[in-house]
Amino acid sequence: MKINLSHWTLRLLLLNATALLLTAGCATNKEGSYNNDFHQDLPTSPQYSIKLIDNSHFQVIVRQGSPYEGQQRVVYVKQAAAAVAENEARHRGWENWDLNYIQDRDQGWMHVVIADVTRKNAIEK
């Protein structure tokens, strides 16, 4: 039985490169489960991530994690976005902040909301 070393070397290199990409990840933020992290039971199972823009500005991205029909799914996703934004703002010690929905879209069965959170007063007691 003959073994082609260059063939196996190429496979090993591709496997290592794939493993490196999977473990390193892309430039995306870590996604959390709203239901698990906030002890809720929303039927849309929202998934969220937080994207830091600067010291007085971040974005909350919430997507629907499981299929759910009707307009109520939008309400659930926005409810999760508001709760995540409030939690993150409080965690940062912000007392005054604005929440603005900058994107609200459907992607098939999944609804996605992106909210911009900006600190109102940079100087707080």
Side-chain angles (χ1 to χ4, degrees), residues 19-89:
L20 180 63
L21 285 174
L22 290 175
T23 56
C26 299
T28 59
N29 300 312
K30 183 181 175 191
E31 199 170 57
S33 166
Y34 175 77
N35 284 350
N36 290 342
D37 296 350
F38 289 81
H39 309 291
Q40 298 294 318
D41 192 25
L42 296 181
T44 54
S45 301
Q47 302 294 310
Y48 71 93
S49 63
I50 299 168
K51 179 180 175 186
L52 178 64
I53 305 298
D54 57 41
N55 288 336
S56 61
H57 185 208
F58 64 89
Q59 287 182 342
V60 175
I61 299 100
V62 180
R63 69 173 180 82
Q64 190 175 333
S66 63
Y68 192 83
E69 296 296 322
Q71 278 302 108
Q72 188 63 31
R73 72 187 188 150
V74 177
V75 173
Y76 289 140
V77 174
K78 284 187 174 182
Q79 175 185 343
V84 170
E86 180 178 6
N87 185 60
E88 183 66 17

Side-chain angles (χ1 to χ4, degrees), residues 7-22:
H7 176 70
W8 285 105
T9 304
L10 180 60
R11 277 191 176 189
L12 184 60
L13 286 174
L14 287 174
L15 182 62
N16 285 339
T18 303
L20 180 63
L21 285 174
L22 290 175

